[in-house]
């Protein structure tokens, strides 16, 4: 006889229990997003007043078809979409719920084609949603890493896929691929940054802008990091990978390399190709996953939906007259 095994944390997670219905029914999706965003205390996104009420149909038996609210303070009408990444989107919220769920619970990412197949929206609409979800996930790390004398590992990598023909694409320095710098605090958060080059000035400037002065910097033997230790109370330690040294006591860069491994597996295996223009959005997705790795799937999905508030990603900046 087969025994049914279920993760206890998932079974008791109210968000995970509510998501299947929210992904299938539009009214359930609207109410789900309202709970995630407002937590039972709805507020007007225009004036911030909490004296608001749901607008009902003519028979006063159900909510209005477009699920609007009205503010008694400024008299404005609004929905839960206003002031979020899905404002002005005509895609149903149930599809947004599914996309948020998949993007928040997939360690290596989810492709727009999968969202297209599962929801029935067009590929362009699925890509539209995922870009905005990644934008919502951005800025999840603290302002400065390594506070309270923490250890921060720093490394750089090149993103751009494998060469189509052997010998036609150079690896490492001198390649045409985009260079990405990552700074990871052990047992803490990660920050990533696409950079123009790997010169000492570029790398050390980025480190000083993102790492607190009380930290210790740990890198490989790249000479571009030489001298960065004088700016930090606990100095700068290196491991020499060229001599096959990877760990020396508590000196290692395995944490940041593990993060890069997840990024590479996702980009090469899920997305296959990422343009330099949108690379920062994809990196935000991996940052969010790493920085919220200790949350359960439902908590992580709720956190992503809450982070959608106050963010808009537009194709062009509106012209003000």
């Amino acid at each position: 006889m087969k025994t049914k095994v279920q993760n206890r944390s998932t079974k008791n997670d109210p968000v995970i229990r509510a998501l299947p219905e929210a992904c299938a029914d539009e009214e359930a999706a609207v109410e789900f997003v309202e709970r995630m965003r407002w937590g039972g205390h709805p507020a007007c996104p225009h004036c911030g007043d909490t004296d608001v009420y749901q607008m009902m149909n003519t028979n006063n038996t159900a909510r209005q078809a477009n699920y609007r609210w009205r503010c008694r303070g400024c008299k404005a009408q609004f929905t839960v979409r206003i002031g979020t990444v899905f404002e002005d989107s005509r895609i149903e919220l149930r599809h947004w719920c599914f996309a948020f769920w998949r993007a928040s619970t997939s360690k290596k990412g989810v492709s727009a084609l999968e969202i297209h197949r599962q929801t029935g929206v067009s590929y362009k609409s699925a890509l539209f949603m995922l870009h905005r979800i990644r934008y919502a996930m951005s800025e999840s790390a603290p302002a400065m890493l390594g506070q309270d004398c923490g250890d921060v590992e720093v490394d750089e990598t090149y993103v751009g896929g494998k060469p189509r023909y052997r010998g036609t694409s150079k690896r490492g320095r001198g390649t045409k691929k985009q260079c990405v710098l990552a700074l990871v605090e052990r047992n803490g958060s990660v920050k990533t940054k696409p950079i123009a080059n790997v010169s000492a000035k570029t790398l050390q400037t980025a480190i000083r802008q993102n790492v607190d002065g009380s930290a210790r910097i740990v890198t490989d033997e790249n000479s571009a990091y030489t001298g960065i230790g004088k700016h930090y109370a606990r100095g700068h330690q290196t491991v020499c990978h060229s001599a096959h040294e990877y760990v020396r006591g508590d000196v290692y860069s395995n944490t940041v390399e593990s993060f890069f491994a997840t990024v590479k597996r996702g980009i090469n295996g899920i997305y296959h190709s990422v343009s330099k223009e949108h690379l920062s959005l994809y990196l935000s997705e991996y940052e969010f996953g790493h920085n919220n790795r200790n949350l359960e799937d439902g908590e992580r999905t709720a956190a992503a939906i809450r982070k959608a508030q106050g963010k808009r990603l537009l194709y062009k900046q509106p012209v003000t007259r």
Side-chain angles (χ1 to χ4, degrees):
M1 183 177 68
K2 294 183 178 179
T3 303
K4 184 176 181 181
V5 178
Q6 187 171 13
N7 185 291
R8 182 178 299 175
S9 60
T10 299
K11 179 180 178 181
N12 297 326
D13 192 328
V15 177
I16 293 298
R17 292 203 308 268
L19 270 169
E21 184 181 1
C23 296
D25 180 73
E26 184 63 14
E27 184 171 357
V30 172
E31 293 175 352
F32 174 79
V33 175
E34 288 175 348
R35 289 196 304 273
M36 295 301 102
R37 179 179 179 183
W38 293 322
H41 302 283
C44 175
H46 303 292
C47 67
D49 199 335
T50 57
D51 189 7
V52 299
Y53 63 94
Q54 295 178 354
M55 299 180 67
M56 308 299 286
N57 61 13
T58 53
N59 298 326
N60 204 36
T61 57
R63 294 186 64 173
Q64 199 177 48
N66 52 10
Y67 308 104
R68 284 186 293 177
W69 294 70
R70 187 189 293 274
C71 175
R72 289 190 175 92
C74 65
K75 310 301 181 184
Q77 298 179 14
F78 62 92
T79 69
V80 72
R81 294 173 179 261
I82 300 300
T84 67
V85 294
F86 32 83
E87 182 175 342
D88 288 338
S89 168
R90 297 192 178 185
I91 302 171
E92 293 182 352
L93 272 183
R94 60 192 180 98
H95 298 324
W96 279 100
C97 287
F98 180 78
F100 265 102
W101 187 9
R102 291 292 288 113
S104 301
T105 57
S106 301
K107 183 176 181 179
K108 298 179 179 67
V110 57
S111 70
L113 277 174
E114 181 177 346
I115 301 299
H116 158 67
R117 287 192 298 265
Q118 297 291 338
T119 64
V121 302
S122 69
Y123 173 76
K124 287 184 177 181
S125 295
L127 192 61
F128 170 93
M129 286 194 293
L130 288 176
H131 273 340
R132 279 147 186 79
I133 290 171
R134 294 180 187 113
Y135 184 66
M137 290 176 171
S138 61
E139 302 171 2
S140 58
M144 299 295 282
L145 300 176
Q147 300 183 44
D148 300 324
C149 303
D151 292 330
V152 178
E153 299 175 23
V154 183
D155 199 9
E156 72 284 345
T157 192
Y158 294 88
V159 175
K162 295 181 179 179
R164 179 170 296 180
Y165 303 105
R166 183 179 298 178
T168 61
S169 178
K170 189 178 185 303
R171 299 180 63 185
R173 296 186 184 182
T175 183
K176 295 181 180 179
K177 299 177 185 179
Q178 175 64 55
C179 184
V180 174
L181 177 70
L183 308 97
V184 180
E185 182 176 1
R186 291 179 186 169
N187 301 316
S189 299
V190 60
K191 282 189 175 185
T192 58
K193 180 181 178 62
I195 54 178
N197 54 64
V198 291
S199 67
K201 180 179 179 180
T202 300
L203 294 176
Q204 296 192 26
T205 298
I207 294 172
R208 294 179 64 185
Q209 289 174 345
N210 292 281
V211 181
D212 186 77
S214 64
R216 180 179 68 162
I217 305 298
V218 181
T219 69
D220 58 20
E221 71 276 21
N222 187 347
S223 61
Y225 297 115
T226 302
I228 189 65
K230 64 184 179 183
H231 302 288
Y232 290 91
R234 299 180 59 221
H236 170 215
Q237 297 287 330
T238 65
V239 285
C240 188
H241 289 169
S242 60
H244 303 289
E245 180 190 46
Y246 300 100
V247 179
R248 189 179 66 255
D250 64 345
V251 179
Y252 55 85
S253 59
N254 297 341
T255 312
V256 65
E257 288 169 5
S258 295
F259 172 75
F260 275 144
T262 302
V263 173
K264 292 291 187 70
R265 288 291 296 274
I267 290 179
N268 295 335
I270 303 296
Y271 303 122
H272 306 305
S273 178
V274 175
S275 69
K276 293 181 179 180
E277 178 184 3
H278 298 296
L279 177 59
S280 60
L281 289 176
Y282 287 88
L283 292 174
S284 294
E285 178 181 3
Y286 292 108
E287 280 187 35
F288 177 82
H290 179 90
N291 296 342
N292 294 278
R293 62 193 180 279
N294 295 324
L295 299 180
E296 298 295 339
D297 287 351
E299 296 173 332
R300 198 179 307 109
T301 303
I305 294 175
R306 285 193 293 267
K307 285 176 65 62
Q309 182 172 343
K311 294 180 180 178
R312 294 289 308 280
L313 181 60
L314 305 174
Y315 285 112
K316 294 182 180 179
Q317 291 298 324
V319 178
T320 56
R321 298 182 181 277

